Amino acid sequence: MSQSNGMTNLLWLQGASCGGCTMSILESGSSGWFDELRQFGINLLWHPSVSEETGEEAAEVLNSVREGRVPLDLLLLEGSVARGPNDSGRFNMLAGTGRSIYHWMLDLAPRADYVVAVGSCAAYGGVPAAGANPTDAVGLQFEGADAGGALGAGFRSRLGLPVINVAGCAPHPGWMMETILALTSKDLSATDLDTYGRPKFVANHLAHHGCSRNEFYEFKASAETMSERGCLMEHLGCKATQAVGDCNQRSWNGGGSCTKGGYACIACTSPGFEDAQNFLETAKLAGIPVGLPTDMPKAWFVALAALSKSATPRRVRLNATADHVVVPPGRTTAKRTP
Amino acid sequence: MTRITIGPFNRVEGDLEVRLDVESGRVQRAEVTAPLYRGFEQILEGRPPLDALVLAPRICGICSVSQSVAAAAALRHAMGTEAAPNGLLATNIAHAAENAADHLTHFYIFFMPDFAREAYASQDWYQETRERFAATRGSAARDALPARARLLETMGIIAGKWPHSLAFQPGGATRAIELGERVRLLSIVTSFRTFLERTVFADTLENMLSLSTADELDRWRAGRSGDFAHFLRLADSLALSELGKGPGVLMSYGAYQGADCGLFPRGIVGPDMVVEPLPLSQISEDVSHAWMRDCSSDPAHSNTVPDPDKAGAYSWCKAPRLSGQPVEVGAIARQTVAGQALIADLVAPSGTNVRNRVIARLIETARIALAMEQWTRALRLSEPFCAPSQEMPDGAYVGLVEAARGSLGHWVAVRGGKIERYQIIAPTTWNFSPRDSLGVAGPLEQALVGTDVGEAGARSVAVQHVVRSFDPCMVCTAH
């Protein structure tokens, strides 16, 4: 049950969460997540959704870690840390223990070789921190885009890493499991994280990369209402050119992604995504989207957009505003209409 | 009298604490606490109404489609528009997939592992049960998790991803399904049926659904393999039909949408087993024992404002009541209101209890697997899937759906293009409600009274069966 027998001890707790990250990771592994963990020598010390130990047995598991009787390799938190009211953490008590998740994390995090924030809530605060943030919710080491959070900007886990932020709402099961396994084999170091603590193997890609609507993007052939096939960036709020994630390069649920599903990327891997408004409507200034691709000068974008719109093939233009393919690919003898 | 506190109460969705007053080994009084509050209703206030489609699903990672569908239904009501019929069918398929996945997750991951606990080591069924159902180590999880993942591939086709999809809109669903995708959907549904028929029931779904009495069920299960028959043997051995009796009135808002008014009807049913219309205007919320500030008891006019130091309060959960009474919701309520013959025959003599709740969930799973196949075939592939959005005039609107765990309602008030108020009453808010101002206990609080905990006290596995038989979703409860 501990490092001495070669197993990696993993403790997973839930703060102000929706449980969605757990639901997502339960899809991992061809013979199920539990089998996958075993195959890699990972001992699930306790997980609130799946473990047998309940009540005082579960509290004993947590106390054994807090008191250093059981070594902790990986500490994962799903959900934000609700610090309120008045820094008491009482909006999120860990049942039966008389202590808040906030205070449990302050105790447990220094005990762990690595600390992982699972999902955008644990990473940056996420949806519970939206609007007026009624529970004073923060991430483990970030409050939105600002370093700090529940553990403080200076926190380092026992092996010297900051909190590893597997952002996303919910994150892809692969992002979570690959992070766990890279840590288990000690293959992930501080240089493998971006400035928001996200593993670069996810954060070095944009959600836009591999988007099935790419041809529509190239020609700025845009969908105008929901369910149309065109690019979702110009009118329907898509932030995939600004949000990190390999969402469109790997399949979700056997073949999907948000943009394949017909709706905009809302940048759920980004700190503070929850504070946007009118998610499915593109904010514009003088007819030009405010959120342009991260690394592209505005003038270039405007010039290229005008040029590509003038060159849009009829097939692409007509399909963009249809919900079914109305013009299939193929050579056409018809005259091109402007 | 001894007071014991049980927590963390795991293998439920979210956070739960239970306090029991025990005398002579029996529960005399129970208090149920939801110890997590996030404030979704406060977060939604002042936002553009359509933002509810992004935020409200994130109340819950296990039933995000249900939350989406409730929000979309409320906003559709606000727009005074009709959804594209294809969009409703696609929504039904995805919603059914989520509900079925929830029922599987509950049975295999949350509920059955309790029978593999050491407390039952002396039972003659223990070794077999432990090998099959032990938490995270049993062979059942190796069968159930891949089947669940395959079922959720429905979401990849219809909804982009799960949990937390934006595909479910007031006008329908955002993705038109093509012929190849319909075939893939049918393939997924067929795989699911195969899992149910081989592993869960060891019989065809048609045979399962032809069972209409408790006697037929007894004859059917004799000598049968499969996890459902295994559960029925455990239920007999432990007299689970006498454990965890509910408050007596069952409610359903009606499940799944369509021109023919959905698959399962709306209504209420009491101990006399007569199904009656649901008096919607009689739904109220009481906050006398919740850490919430007093306001209107009508969900259409109330706000949610926390009051963490309130005297006498013990939960972040409000106390919903129908005509002043607590009611039980969930698959057992849906199937009883729908007049499903077997469930009605089980509920008539013994009411709701640990055994009947589990049976109702599995029978419902068989029913929705068949419905998913019909809905998939009914899609008219050349027709639209989403009607355009309309302006939302000022007013108060409601969206009522059935999540896996029971009746879910969103009440939204729109003023000047913004959300003025947003109130949610979730299934577990009904089932795990605290006491009201008259001191009447909520359904679980009532169901726990009389439970024999013997010498085990807080370790009593009977208490765990009662609590988990409701398949509580605590993250939905207080939101």
Side-chain angles (χ1 to χ4, degrees):
Chain A
M1 295 292 284
S2 72
Q3 284 166 322
S4 54
N5 62 9
M7 298 283 280
T8 302
N9 273 340
L10 187 157
L11 176 64
W12 180 308
L13 296 179
Q14 289 170 336
S17 88
C18 71
C21 305
T22 290
M23 288 301 120
S24 178
I25 207 166
L26 284 179
E27 291 172 52
S28 186
S30 59
S31 53
W33 187 48
F34 309 142
D35 223 31
E36 187 180 35
L37 289 172
R38 264 191 300 276
Q39 288 157 13
F40 286 97
I42 297 170
N43 172 44
L44 194 57
L45 207 53
W46 195 68
H47 183 300
S49 299
V50 304
S51 291
E52 176 172 314
E53 295 88 351
T54 191
E56 55 197 50
E57 308 155 347
E60 167 54 23
V61 174
L62 300 181
N63 281 323
S64 69
V65 174
R66 183 157 69 112
E67 293 159 12
R69 286 180 278 128
V70 170
L72 182 59
D73 302 83
L74 298 176
L75 174 63
L76 279 68
L77 181 73
E78 166 184 9
S80 36
V81 180
R83 296 181 303 188
N86 303 319
D87 230 31
S88 69
R90 272 198 293 141
F91 282 125
N92 185 13
M93 299 298 282
L94 182 55
T97 69
R99 295 167 67 78
S100 68
I101 280 285
Y102 177 29
H103 292 100
W104 269 108
M105 288 310 294
L106 293 178
D107 287 351
L108 294 175
R111 293 276 180 193
D113 283 357
Y114 301 109
V115 178
V116 181
V118 177
S120 293
C121 293
Y124 311 121
V127 167
N133 190 353
T135 59
D136 195 14
V138 291
L140 279 172
Q141 208 167 10
F142 277 89
E143 184 167 358
D146 299 330
L151 299 177
F155 171 82
R156 294 294 178 272
S157 64
R158 272 167 33 95
L159 291 185
L161 254 63
V163 174
I164 297 133
N165 289 327
V166 188
C169 184
H172 191 286
W175 302 344
M176 293 182 269
M177 205 51 204
E178 287 152 24
T179 303
I180 290 170
L181 295 181
L183 290 171
T184 303
S185 59
K186 301 207 165 36
D187 279 335
L188 200 146
S189 63
T191 56
D192 294 311
L193 303 176
D194 80 348
T195 50
Y196 292 118
R198 299 173 292 204
K200 286 181 182 169
F201 68 82
V202 177
N204 279 352
H205 307 277
L206 291 174
H208 174 63
H209 296 160
C211 178
S212 59
R213 295 168 191 253
N214 194 277
E215 190 183 33
F216 296 105
Y217 174 83
E218 288 169 13
F219 289 106
K220 296 291 162 289
S222 298
E224 291 168 8
T225 65
M226 302 299 286
S227 91
E228 292 177 349
R229 302 177 59 85
C231 178
L232 301 168
M233 178 193 164
E234 189 177 1
H235 304 302
L236 297 179
C238 189
K239 298 191 176 85
T241 54
Q242 303 148 56
V244 306
D246 56 5
C247 303
N248 272 306
Q249 296 171 69
R250 62 161 92 216
S251 69
W252 290 74
N253 302 104
S257 73
C258 292
T259 55
K260 274 189 196 166
Y263 50 92
C265 166
I266 58 169
C268 75
T269 56
S270 302
F273 86 94
E274 66 278 356
D275 273 330
Q277 298 210 352
N278 290 310
F279 287 93
L280 299 188
E281 198 178 303
T282 303
K284 293 178 193 168
L285 213 60
I288 299 165
V290 173
L292 292 178
T294 319
D295 34 21
M296 193 166 183
K298 191 183 216 169
W300 276 106
F301 181 84
V302 173
L304 281 172
L307 187 63
S308 55
K309 276 198 181 193
S310 70
T312 307
R314 176 175 173 273
R315 170 179 61 83
V316 175
R317 183 163 47 81
L318 293 179
N319 286 342
T321 51
D323 66 346
H324 298 70
V325 175
V326 290
V327 184
R331 286 181 186 280
T332 173
T333 51
K335 243 186 171 174
R336 184 176 179 276
T337 50
Chain B
M1 191 88 79
T2 318
R3 169 162 281 210
I4 56 179
T5 299
I6 309 180
F9 213 114
N10 60 318
R11 274 184 292 110
V12 301
E13 177 51 52
D15 294 76
L16 169 65
E17 185 172 281
V18 176
R19 268 181 311 286
L20 304 174
D21 290 338
V22 177
E23 191 165 292
S24 309
R26 272 188 193 279
V27 175
Q28 305 295 316
R29 185 178 191 279
E31 277 183 4
V32 174
T33 296
L36 168 65
Y37 175 74
R38 291 166 299 166
F40 273 80
E41 288 150 328
Q42 292 176 282
I43 287 167
L44 284 161
E45 282 175 12
R47 281 185 169 262
L50 286 170
D51 283 4
L53 297 172
V54 175
L55 297 174
R58 289 177 158 85
I59 289 170
C60 183
I62 196 164
C63 65
S64 67
V65 176
S66 291
Q67 295 283 358
S68 282
V69 175
L75 297 175
R76 182 183 308 132
H77 180 203
M79 291 175 182
T81 185
E82 284 197 17
N86 272 334
L88 294 184
L89 285 170
T91 301
N92 282 352
I93 297 163
H95 196 186
E98 177 176 272
N99 287 340
D102 276 7
H103 287 342
L104 285 189
T105 307
H106 176 258
F107 184 75
Y108 283 105
I109 309 300
F110 295 165
F111 183 73
M112 290 303 286
D114 284 328
F115 299 101
R117 295 178 65 83
E118 279 290 324
Y120 292 128
S122 63
Q123 300 283 347
D124 58 5
W125 42 258
Y126 176 71
Q127 281 309 327
E128 184 192 354
T129 304
R130 187 155 182 82
E131 194 280 322
R132 181 78 185 139
F133 292 107
T136 75
R137 299 187 306 281
S139 62
R142 286 202 297 276
D143 294 336
L145 286 180
R148 172 187 177 277
R150 171 73 171 143
L151 174 62
L152 289 171
E153 289 184 9
T154 308
M155 305 300 184
I157 297 172
I158 291 175
K161 68 156 186 152
W162 183 91
H164 305 325
S165 168
L166 273 157
F168 311 104
Q169 297 282 321
T174 53
R175 189 164 202 284
I177 301 300
E178 296 181 337
L179 177 58
E181 291 157 344
R182 165 146 74 191
V183 174
R184 278 161 57 201
L185 285 170
L186 286 171
S187 165
I188 293 167
V189 173
T190 304
S191 295
F192 181 50
R193 172 195 270 258
T194 303
F195 171 75
L196 292 176
E197 294 186 338
R198 279 187 191 154
T199 307
V200 178
F201 296 120
D203 200 352
T204 65
L205 300 189
E206 285 79 1
N207 281 352
M208 288 311 303
L209 295 176
S210 72
L211 301 172
S212 59
T213 66
D215 288 345
E216 285 175 23
L217 182 66
D218 281 345
R219 284 197 295 277
W220 172 86
R221 80 121 202 260
R224 188 170 298 275
S225 62
D227 295 325
F228 180 48
H230 190 105
F231 165 74
L232 292 175
R233 284 190 284 276
L234 301 180
D236 270 8
S237 164
L238 299 170
L240 297 183
S241 60
E242 288 160 32
L243 189 64
K245 194 171 175 56
V249 179
L250 303 172
M251 178 177 83
S252 170
Y253 287 160
Y256 307 105
Q257 318 165 83
D260 53 357
C261 288
L263 182 64
F264 305 136
R266 175 178 296 184
I268 56 171
V269 59
D272 57 2
M273 297 300 285
V274 176
V275 179
E276 295 187 44
L278 170 66
L280 258 184
S281 63
Q282 296 300 305
I283 292 175
S284 63
E285 283 188 292
D286 177 295
V287 295
S288 57
H289 293 76
W291 289 303
M292 296 290 171
R293 217 173 276 171
D294 258 331
C295 62
S296 168
S297 62
D298 178 349
H301 295 105
S302 66
N303 292 85
T304 297
V305 183
D307 183 0
D309 299 316
K310 183 167 160 182
Y314 60 88
S315 182
W316 294 108
C317 178
K318 294 183 178 181
R321 294 292 184 263
L322 179 69
S323 309
Q325 299 297 314
V327 302
E328 180 172 345
V329 298
I332 194 163
R334 265 192 307 275
Q335 294 308 318
T336 308
V337 169
Q340 205 283 331
L342 174 63
I343 301 307
D345 196 59
L346 292 167
V347 169
S350 59
T352 63
N353 52 56
V354 172
R355 180 196 68 175
N356 290 353
R357 287 184 193 106
V358 175
I359 295 174
R361 248 179 231 116
L362 292 177
I363 291 296
E364 177 170 277
T365 305
R367 292 190 75 182
I368 59 183
L370 296 181
M372 284 174 76
E373 192 177 317
Q374 289 160 9
W375 289 323
T376 306
R377 291 189 194 283
L379 291 168
R380 294 171 185 272
L381 302 182
S382 60
E383 294 178 9
F385 278 67
C386 197
S389 284
Q390 310 285 330
E391 291 295 309
M392 276 178 254
D394 290 357
Y397 310 99
V398 62
L400 303 174
V401 303
E402 283 285 314
R405 291 157 195 77
S407 309
L408 169 65
H410 285 202
W411 283 259
V412 58
V414 176
R415 184 190 289 260
K418 302 279 186 196
I419 294 170
E420 185 184 25
R421 278 189 303 276
Y422 207 104
Q423 284 299 301
I424 299 152
I425 306 181
T428 307
T429 321
W430 286 100
N431 285 340
F432 283 29
S433 122
R435 282 163 174 70
D436 57 31
S437 58
L438 300 174
V440 177
L444 173 66
E445 294 181 332
Q446 294 187 27
L448 282 166
V449 171
T451 303
D452 185 354
V453 300
E455 298 291 303
R459 287 174 182 260
S460 161
V461 73
V463 168
Q464 296 171 35
H465 296 323
V466 174
V467 171
R468 294 198 184 98
S469 73
F470 284 89
D471 190 7
C473 179
M474 305 311 296
V475 299
C476 284
T477 304
H479 355 294

